[in-house]
Amino acid sequence: MNPVPPVLLGVAEDVRTRLAPRFPEAAAMFRQCFLNTLETTVKRLPDGTTFVLTGDIPAMWLRDSASQIEPYVRYAAEDDDLRAMVRGVIRRQARYVALDPYANAFNETPDGQGHQDDRTELTPWVWERKWELDSLCHPLRLLHLYHTATGDAEVFDEDVHRMLTVAVATMRTEQHPESSHYRFERPHPQQPTDTLVNGGRGPECGYTGMVRSAFRPSDDACTYGFLVPANMFAVVVLGHVAAFARDFYADAALADDAAALRDEIEEGIKRYAIVDHPRHGPVYAYETDGLGNHLLMDDANIPSLLSIPYLGYRPATDPTYRNTRALVLSPGNPYYSEGRHARGIGSPHTKPGQVWPMSLAMQGLTSTDQEERAELLTTLAATTAGTGYIHESFDPDDPGVFTRPWFGWANSLYAQFAMEVALT
């Protein structure tokens, strides 16, 4: 167990005290969820980097590790050890991206653990090599949040410069998936969405200006190649990349390329990703292929359409977002479920009818309605099956039926939401 910096112990007690009068159950479980990542999944390494387990899987996901430590980042300026831990995560992520920008999860050492029988270009460092656009975006968001919180310019070393360069180059390649060398097949998939169609190339796409993602943030294969919320995420972080390249590396070519790519993706979203829904009006599709096909749904994993304001792409008051939110929080979303104890968004990653607590936390983080936020926080605290921890998914008619008892990302997202309720 890692020692907890005093500043985080103070935050845990402050938030618990603020929540207790109105939300006693949520207050009682806040400390353990808030500190779960630090106490159980963070490993400081001799080279100054930080390895972060996702929880019950002994690998470091780029997406999960960034999200797991995000609740701590705002306090990094107040504690040298905490700042070093977060900087260590960024540096390890940067090295992983340089090793393989198409991989989503990595080993602590090059020991060949993980899905080494997958048919793709693997190295012993890689746990899983599912190309997910958001896996490049999450480390860039973390870098931005860290620098904003601390003003630490030392983090911008050559490893980070390489990460920025490789991330933009990979996105550029995947704007034109027909010329990409990326292939992925799983010889014995547990689900059809564990592998890619067309001999591992994935579904056919037309050019849109957006970036192809082979897999969703749930690690399930995309039905259509352009995952819209991931491209929205890319628009946001490419703005950060352009600023970093200009301000810290005097790399005008990278800054200009990132800014141009950002504009091309934004134009692609406007042209190809907005659908006129007969009930809700203009809404964002979850996926599209540039060939006239759209998928209207949402998944609990982030980036999602529900998370658009959280990502920083559009404000919660944006009309198209409001329309989209109404759609995805209704039976019009095939992965929306209701039961006696909860209602919310699930995922095809788990069995039908399950609600994912991450979607409830994200619904709260993006809500402008205080009553809705209060109801969601109460629901989250009441559906842990008495464990006091947040799970991957649960049966909304029986929260005692759940998946993944140890899931660091979900605990951290709950902590973020509880902090927002307590501190705003």
Side-chain angles (χ1 to χ4, degrees), residues 106-395:
F106 294 84
N107 296 310
E108 180 185 338
T109 62
D111 57 14
Q113 296 299 304
H115 298 277
Q116 293 296 311
D117 60 340
D118 289 343
R119 294 170 185 160
T120 187
E121 297 176 16
L122 286 164
T123 73
W125 282 102
V126 172
W127 173 275
E128 187 173 62
R129 194 173 187 261
K130 288 181 173 178
W131 160 237
E132 298 162 358
L133 174 57
D134 74 280
S135 286
L136 289 185
C137 295
H138 276 282
L140 302 176
R141 171 184 168 93
L142 177 63
L143 178 62
H144 168 71
L145 293 173
Y146 173 77
H147 179 253
T148 300
T150 65
D152 179 8
E154 292 183 8
V155 72
F156 294 99
D157 60 10
E158 280 310 303
D159 284 341
V160 167
H161 191 190
R162 191 175 302 110
M163 174 176 70
L164 303 180
T165 303
V166 169
V168 173
T170 305
M171 292 183 199
R172 276 291 185 199
T173 296
E174 295 304 321
Q175 271 190 306
H176 303 274
E178 71 283 355
S179 60
S180 172
H181 294 293
Y182 176 77
R183 302 288 186 273
F184 183 95
E185 290 182 282
R186 181 157 290 173
H188 307 290
Q190 292 184 337
Q191 302 291 338
T193 53
D194 270 343
T195 191
L196 293 183
V197 299
N198 292 333
R201 295 187 302 274
E204 297 297 328
C205 302
Y207 178 79
T208 65
M210 289 186 282
V211 176
R212 185 272 299 259
S213 187
F215 290 86
R216 300 169 180 169
S218 62
D219 300 334
D220 297 312
C222 292
T223 299
Y224 302 123
F226 299 114
L227 179 60
V228 175
N231 276 274
M232 293 170 168
F233 199 4
V235 166
V236 175
V237 299
L238 284 167
H240 305 327
V241 172
F244 296 150
R246 181 181 61 250
D247 296 344
F248 295 103
Y249 299 106
D251 189 339
L254 178 59
D256 290 347
D257 195 22
L261 178 57
R262 181 183 191 271
D263 292 344
E264 291 163 23
I265 297 171
E266 174 75 336
E267 183 61 26
I269 293 170
K270 291 177 181 177
R271 290 188 60 189
Y272 293 95
I274 299 176
V275 178
D276 192 17
H277 191 275
R279 178 178 177 185
H280 298 284
V283 299
Y284 291 113
Y286 185 71
E287 291 173 0
T288 186
D289 60 3
L291 301 173
N293 297 301
H294 300 88
L295 188 59
L296 297 182
M297 58 161 280
D298 203 19
D299 187 287
N301 289 268
I302 301 155
S304 60
L305 293 175
L306 187 62
S307 72
I308 285 172
Y310 176 83
L311 301 175
Y313 180 72
R314 291 287 187 270
T317 55
D318 178 80
T320 306
Y321 172 70
R322 298 301 302 176
N323 295 347
T324 306
R325 183 184 181 92
L327 171 62
V328 302
L329 292 174
S330 79
N333 175 8
Y335 300 103
Y336 176 84
S337 298
E338 297 186 5
R340 293 191 305 273
H341 298 277
R343 60 183 184 275
I345 299 171
S347 172
H349 196 68
T350 50
K351 68 180 184 179
Q354 302 283 94
V355 169
W356 281 47
M358 288 203 320
S359 74
L360 302 180
M362 185 52 63
Q363 184 181 344
L365 283 165
T366 55
S367 175
T368 57
D369 184 329
Q370 295 303 316
E371 291 186 7
E372 180 183 25
R373 285 157 63 98
E375 178 186 345
L376 289 162
L377 188 61
T378 300
T379 298
L380 282 163
T383 53
T384 70
T387 67
Y389 288 104
I390 303 299
H391 304 134
E392 178 188 54
S393 71
F394 66 89
D395 184 332

Side-chain angles (χ1 to χ4, degrees), residues 9-88:
L9 291 174
V11 171
E13 180 58 24
D14 181 40
V15 172
R16 187 198 66 78
T17 300
R18 291 171 182 260
L19 288 175
R22 289 188 63 202
F23 308 103
E25 287 186 86
M29 61 186 279
F30 174 75
R31 185 188 187 280
Q32 64 187 35
C33 289
F34 177 55
L35 299 179
N36 180 252
T37 283
L38 183 61
E39 292 181 332
T40 67
T41 70
V42 169
K43 184 177 182 180
R44 305 285 294 277
L45 300 176
D47 63 359
T49 67
T50 307
F51 187 83
V52 183
L53 296 170
T54 186
D56 55 5
I57 303 174
M60 181 168 169
W61 262 253
L62 294 175
R63 168 184 57 252
D64 292 46
S65 59
S67 301
Q68 283 169 252
I69 69 163
E70 186 167 322
Y72 310 143
V73 175
R74 68 177 79 181
Y75 304 106
E78 302 176 37
D79 186 276
D80 291 344
D81 193 56
L82 179 59
R83 186 163 58 253
M85 184 276 285
V86 177
R87 188 167 57 236

Side-chain angles (χ1 to χ4, degrees), residues 378-421:
T378 300
T379 298
L380 282 163
T383 53
T384 70
T387 67
Y389 288 104
I390 303 299
H391 304 134
E392 178 188 54
S393 71
F394 66 89
D395 184 332
D397 284 318
D398 182 5
V401 178
F402 60 83
T403 60
R404 295 191 70 178
W406 181 21
F407 189 19
W409 183 12
N411 286 316
S412 290
L413 197 64
Y414 165 78
Q416 275 190 274
F417 175 39
M419 289 164 67
E420 288 299 315
V421 172

